[in-house]
Amino acid sequence: MANIVNFNSEYPIIEKSDELYSRSIGLIPANTQTMAKGPSQYVNGIAPKYLKRGKGSHVWDVDDNEYLDYNMAIGPISLGYCYPKTDYAIINQLFNGITFSMMHPLEVEVAELIREIIPNAESVRFSKSGADVTSAAIRVARAYTGKNKILCCGYHGWHDWYVSTIARNSGIPQVVKDLTFTFNYNDIDSVINSIDDDTAAIILEPVVFDEPKNNFLHNLAELCKEKNILLIFDEMWTGFRMAMGGAQEFFGINPDLATYSKAIANGMPLAVLTGKKEIMDLFNEEVFFFNTFGGEALSLAAAKASIEEMKEKQVINHIQIQGQKLINGINQIIKELEIDFLEIKGYPFRSILNFKDTGGDPLLQKSFVQQEMFKRGILWSGFHNISYSHSDADINYTIKVYEEVLPMLKTVIWENELSSAIKGIPVQPVFRKTSDFNTKPVTK
Ligand SMILES: Cc1ncc(COP(=O)(O)O)c(C=O)c1O
């Protein structure tokens, strides 16, 4: 794959996207199965809505426009779209069958591979989605500790125990809502204040974009030990990107349980729960966690091939190098332009262009940048999920586009023309609030 983006001279033509979208209205509630892929996250009228093909780090929409992708299917594409090693593994397995009436050897083989890679993986279970394994982790934590309440920080999927904490929580009984509360990242007091005698587990994304400060993660692990609370790392984003074993490997912390999905199988739907044997053993008898497709073989074959490829090609190292180059390039532009309301946050494997609210309306600014990115062939939602297929040409091209677009942003803001410069309906807020919601200060 040449990884050459053809410059669009104008905003992309998106007729077929819009036609499909109009057919979905009234038929598919919310239009999308994944909020982050849905129309609310893209400038409506400018950005395409449906993609039909991908290769490497590039994708093509239904109108045949080509884009360099920085969302990578919201995380799963770690090696690249249509990556031969993964795809041949899937095809080979396909010739032998997809899913079976008994267990498949790959369940054992991939579990052994994972045990080698993920520090806390004394035991391993598979499932299909991130929400499956975070929910299984919560259930087994409650069973193990004999306690009920959960403290969380980050996003953990669509199931009741977590969604009870957010504003869009209709359909969830109050008794469930009374059991999960959130704490603020890097704020150990907000954790301490929320713990009570009934706290079973603390689950968090070990990093989102902020780095842990003042030994936050280590202090959390200590606190959990002291209070007989299980520590669960939700490694959906950090696993197989930040390090093969995720944040637990990166920071040298051994959580009681950890959950993985997204990048592990380069796009195939597989989720993994790892943990200490003594806790995970409860799945033998007491705790129920089974489903039809948990041992489905195509995804396991994809995971095995992808993990082997990641090890062989030192993919984490590549992601780190490319991500850092991009961060350096964008930082340089921000510095030269003296735009103090912009900053790059995060780690090389996943960084974000953060619009601080000191610069006016961050969503309008993001919408403007996004529309100009799409015009120049970049599929962009503010962050950069780096894959093995992001080449030097991709990174250099992206920096060049930032060099064009950020001064334009500065100008339209300066001239008070930001709103009118946006040619479609601006993006809506991302549902991803990680602090100051549904916190529960508990007096002990
Ligand atoms: C950190 C984190 N945990 C859990 C989930 C839920 O995963 P899924 O959507 O596969 O159920 C997500 C999804 O984006 C996530 O980002």
Side-chain angles (χ1 to χ4, degrees):
M1 168 79 202
N3 274 335
I4 292 168
V5 177
N6 296 315
F7 282 85
N8 290 341
S9 54
E10 250 314 317
Y11 300 100
I13 291 168
I14 52 168
E15 281 167 8
K16 288 188 184 153
S17 263
D18 281 343
E19 198 264 325
L20 278 165
Y21 181 57
S22 66
R23 282 161 55 193
S24 82
I25 293 170
L27 175 64
I28 302 177
N31 308 96
T32 179
Q33 329 305 324
T34 310
M35 203 166 174
K37 298 182 186 181
S40 69
Q41 297 309 306
Y42 295 99
V43 179
N44 199 338
I46 292 294
K49 296 185 176 67
Y50 296 88
L51 300 176
K52 66 174 181 188
R53 187 162 75 82
K55 180 71 191 159
S57 55
H58 290 213
V59 289
W60 285 260
D61 71 15
V62 288
D63 291 276
D64 286 320
N65 301 296
E66 179 184 356
Y67 307 96
L68 166 54
D69 189 356
Y70 278 104
N71 282 1
M72 304 314 275
I74 323 300
I77 308 300
S78 44
L79 291 168
Y81 292 96
C82 286
Y83 192 85
K85 193 88 182 258
T86 314
D87 287 2
Y88 289 135
I90 296 168
I91 291 164
N92 285 337
Q93 182 56 47
L94 187 60
F95 284 131
N96 287 300
I98 301 170
T99 191
F100 297 92
S101 316
M102 289 186 179
M103 298 178 287
H104 192 276
L106 279 166
E107 292 173 50
V108 183
E109 290 169 28
V110 179
E112 283 173 345
L113 251 184
I114 286 171
R115 185 175 55 191
E116 275 171 29
I117 291 167
I118 297 180
N120 83 339
E122 292 170 14
S123 302
V124 180
R125 280 291 305 266
F126 297 110
S127 197
K128 287 286 106 191
S129 73
D132 283 0
V133 287
T134 56
S135 299
I138 295 305
R139 184 176 291 171
V140 79
R142 284 174 167 154
Y144 183 79
T145 58
K147 299 188 273 183
N148 296 300
K149 288 189 191 145
I150 306 298
L151 300 178
C152 66
C153 176
Y155 174 71
H156 306 294
W158 75 275
H159 291 174
D160 283 8
W161 72 266
Y162 169 70
V163 169
S164 67
T165 65
I166 69 168
R168 189 170 174 173
N169 64 5
S170 193
I172 299 174
Q174 189 59 44
V175 283
V176 176
K177 293 179 183 165
D178 291 342
L179 293 178
T180 309
F181 299 93
T182 72
F183 60 92
N184 296 333
Y185 193 72
N186 273 334
D187 180 357
I188 199 77
D189 288 339
S190 78
V191 185
I192 292 169
N193 288 338
S194 304
I195 289 174
D196 66 22
D197 291 343
D198 199 26
T199 307
I202 293 179
I203 180 169
L204 77 161
E205 293 184 67
V207 291
V208 180
F209 295 110
D210 288 324
E211 293 181 17
K213 292 203 183 90
N214 303 325
N215 241 0
F216 178 67
L217 294 174
H218 289 87
N219 290 341
L220 205 55
E222 274 304 305
L223 187 64
C224 284
K225 215 188 225 168
E226 193 186 304
K227 302 270 183 192
N228 189 26
I229 294 168
L230 296 196
L231 178 64
I232 307 169
F233 274 7
D234 179 340
E235 302 251 26
M236 299 301 155
W237 281 101
T238 43
F240 301 89
R241 262 213 175 81
M242 185 174 210
M244 290 291 279
Q248 57 170 294
E249 177 189 332
F250 191 89
F251 293 110
I253 293 174
N254 215 348
D256 297 296
L257 297 163
T259 58
Y260 296 78
S261 186
K262 296 210 190 264
I264 189 170
N266 195 37
M268 290 297 276
L270 186 70
V272 182
L273 171 61
T274 64
K276 297 187 176 155
K277 185 170 178 307
E278 189 184 332
I279 304 163
M280 297 282 283
D281 272 353
L282 292 188
F283 287 120
N284 284 327
E285 295 287 346
E286 294 91 329
V287 178
F288 193 93
F289 175 42
F290 301 106
N291 56 43
T292 306
F293 290 112
E296 169 269 312
L298 294 190
S299 299
L300 288 168
K304 184 173 178 219
S306 303
I307 291 172
E308 281 166 354
E309 182 74 352
M310 284 185 212
K311 280 165 68 175
E312 196 185 313
K313 296 280 168 61
Q314 301 194 8
V315 164
I316 301 298
N317 196 32
H318 175 90
I319 287 174
Q320 157 80 25
I321 290 169
Q322 299 305 72
Q324 190 62 57
K325 258 189 251 171
L326 187 58
I327 290 174
N328 293 348
I330 300 169
N331 267 334
Q332 184 64 24
I333 300 166
I334 292 173
K335 205 167 132 205
E336 277 165 19
L337 288 170
E338 296 178 4
I339 317 183
D340 56 8
F341 57 88
L342 284 183
E343 63 180 347
I344 283 280
K345 282 174 76 169
Y347 288 82
F349 78 96
R350 184 175 180 233
S351 59
I352 188 169
L353 182 69
N354 190 38
F355 299 87
K356 304 186 214 168
D357 42 20
T358 50
D361 185 335
L363 277 180
L364 288 186
Q365 292 166 15
K366 178 178 170 180
S367 301
F368 178 80
V369 173
Q370 188 186 69
Q371 103 182 354
E372 297 308 314
M373 288 282 179
F374 271 104
K375 180 174 176 181
R376 291 160 180 80
I378 296 184
L379 194 163
W380 182 97
S381 285
F383 37 75
H384 317 104
N385 296 329
I386 306 293
S387 77
Y388 185 59
S389 291
H390 283 94
S391 65
D392 284 342
D394 287 339
I395 302 296
N396 292 340
Y397 177 71
T398 309
I399 293 171
K400 190 163 163 290
V401 167
Y402 269 111
E403 267 166 8
E404 274 177 48
V405 171
L406 294 187
M408 290 168 66
L409 174 69
K410 191 174 172 183
T411 305
V412 289
I413 291 174
W414 184 252
E415 291 176 354
N416 226 355
E417 284 176 349
L418 178 58
S419 285
S420 59
I422 297 166
K423 300 182 188 309
I425 302 168
V427 298
Q428 306 298 305
V430 187
F431 157 69
R432 198 171 191 91
K433 197 160 168 18
T434 51
S435 61
D436 282 327
F437 70 118
N438 204 47
T439 47
K440 177 179 178 272
V442 174
T443 39
K444 287 177 282 172

